[in-house]
Each structure stands twice: as structure tokens, then as C-alpha cells.
Amino acid sequence: MREDILISDFVDFQDELDDYIKNHIDPEGDYLHRLYRATNLHLLYSRMASGHVQGRILKMLVGMVKPKLVLEIGTYSGYSGLCIAEGLPEGGHLHTIEINDEQEDFTRPWFEGSPYADKITMHIGDALDIVPKLGMKFDMAFIDADKRKYLDYYEMVLSHLNDDGYILVDNTLWDGHVLNTEHADPQAASIQAFNDFVASDTRVEKVILPLRDGLTIIHKKK
């Protein structure tokens, strides 16, 4: 590391670093680029979409694990779901669940118009109700939904995850607010509780990547 640059100085370079990273990884592709633009133009809270860098990471992680069945909790605009589907092996399938029924009119056409339409099943409703009724065991799951329910989602997903399976959990650093023990943000408090619980959970191995808002990778032991 250059001695003339302090760690705190990297905050000033964050936009430049983000651009550098995007210019040195695989492109997101025209379809995903158009979806991301439409997300920003037409939806509230567009920052919730995974975006270029995280999308390429999701695709690569799926390609490495080669899961046959993947569960996504929190579909939003469909960007992350399409990246997951892109990485699926032959015969692989994604079940993605969105609790907001008003989101369906925007998202479903993007799935249906993609090259991966036959690999994606979209469900509308509460994942805590839907997943047990599916009667499936998954090889991988991606959780990016109501932060206040992260512990509930985690336990439910873990019970429907095959041994040696993986859970990816987004936003686990919450813009650094997890460091603040005195705050009124119930979502930050819930993420803190989730992180503390997973850190001491002997059923799994875990690591937190400081990607965007924090991405936790959890491996269920055999």
C-alpha cells in the first residue's frame, strides 16, 4: 500500500475505484444494463438492485457451486435473479419470492423476456409461508429482503437447505451502521442481531465480504 495514502482517504476515491472495478470485470450485458436503467427510472429505492459488480459476483458464485435448485428471497426488479439464473448449470432452476405484489407488473416481463425465462419461477407472497409449502431442498439461497426478518429467513432457509449448501445474505454491513450500538434504526438492530447469531452458529461456516453494503457467505456443514 502506498504510504502517502491513508485508509480514510479511500473514501474520497470510492467513485473512481468503483469505475475502475467495473472497467476490469466482465460487462453486465445489454439486457441487464437496460433493466438497471429501467429500475432507476421507474422504481422507488432503486439502490436495492444488485447492480453490475454484485451481479457478476452472484453469477460467478453460482457457477462455482453449480446448484440445481436456488432460492431467492426478495426479487425486487429481477436483476439479481437474472444474474443467478445466468450462472445456473444445465437443468438448474431458481425460485424467487417477492412479497410486494405491486412489483410483479414490472419484474415478471423482464424475466419472461430474458434468455433464462425457463429457469425462473417467480412467487408473490411471504417467503416464510411459501417456502415450506414448496416441499423442496435447495442447494443455494440468496436473502435480500426485509432486514427485520433476517433471523426468521435464515432459520427457515437453513432447514430447507441441503447439507454442503450455501446461503448468501445481502446488506449485512448496512452502510456501516452495524458499528453503532446506539441507534433507533430497527433494520440496523436486526442486522446486528443476525450477524451476532450467525457468527456463533456452529452449524455453518461464514465470511462477510465488504462488497457494497456487505455480503455474507454462509456454508452449511455436512
Side-chain angles (χ1 to χ4, degrees), residues 10-100:
F10 276 102
V11 174
D12 298 330
F13 301 130
Q14 192 59 56
D15 289 342
E16 294 178 44
L17 284 172
D18 289 345
D19 289 340
Y20 182 87
I21 291 169
K22 291 174 184 177
N23 290 329
H24 289 80
I25 64 174
D26 288 343
E28 60 185 336
D30 178 67
Y31 194 80
L32 285 171
H33 180 74
R34 287 191 287 116
L35 170 55
Y36 192 74
R37 178 172 171 76
T39 299
N40 280 272
L41 287 174
H42 301 296
L43 298 182
L44 295 173
Y45 313 114
S46 58
R47 187 175 181 270
M48 294 195 305
S50 288
H52 182 184
V53 177
Q54 188 177 49
R56 293 305 86 199
I57 289 176
L58 289 174
K59 185 256 183 179
M60 185 171 287
L61 289 174
V62 172
M64 292 166 64
V65 175
K66 295 179 171 53
K68 286 294 185 180
L69 275 178
V70 180
L71 171 68
E72 179 182 43
I73 300 178
T75 311
Y76 190 49
S77 69
Y79 192 104
S80 56
L82 287 173
C83 294
I84 291 169
E86 183 182 355
L88 285 173
E90 186 68 30
H93 200 84
L94 168 68
H95 287 265
T96 181
I97 302 173
E98 174 57 45
I99 198 168
N100 181 8

Side-chain angles (χ1 to χ4, degrees), residues 143-144 146-158 167-173 178 186-201 203-204 206-208 214-218:
I143 300 174
D144 185 13
D146 186 348
K147 315 310 170 193
R148 293 163 294 188
K149 294 183 178 180
Y150 263 21
L151 270 174
D152 294 330
Y153 292 143
Y154 174 69
E155 285 291 4
M156 184 269 293
V157 168
L158 200 63
I167 304 173
L168 311 176
V169 187
D170 202 14
N171 306 121
T172 49
L173 295 180
V178 290
Q187 297 191 92
S190 295
I191 291 172
Q192 284 179 328
F194 169 79
N195 288 340
D196 290 344
F197 183 86
V198 173
S200 61
D201 190 349
R203 298 171 294 177
V204 299
K206 74 289 294 186
V207 64
I208 299 177
L215 180 69
T216 298
I217 302 176
I218 299 166

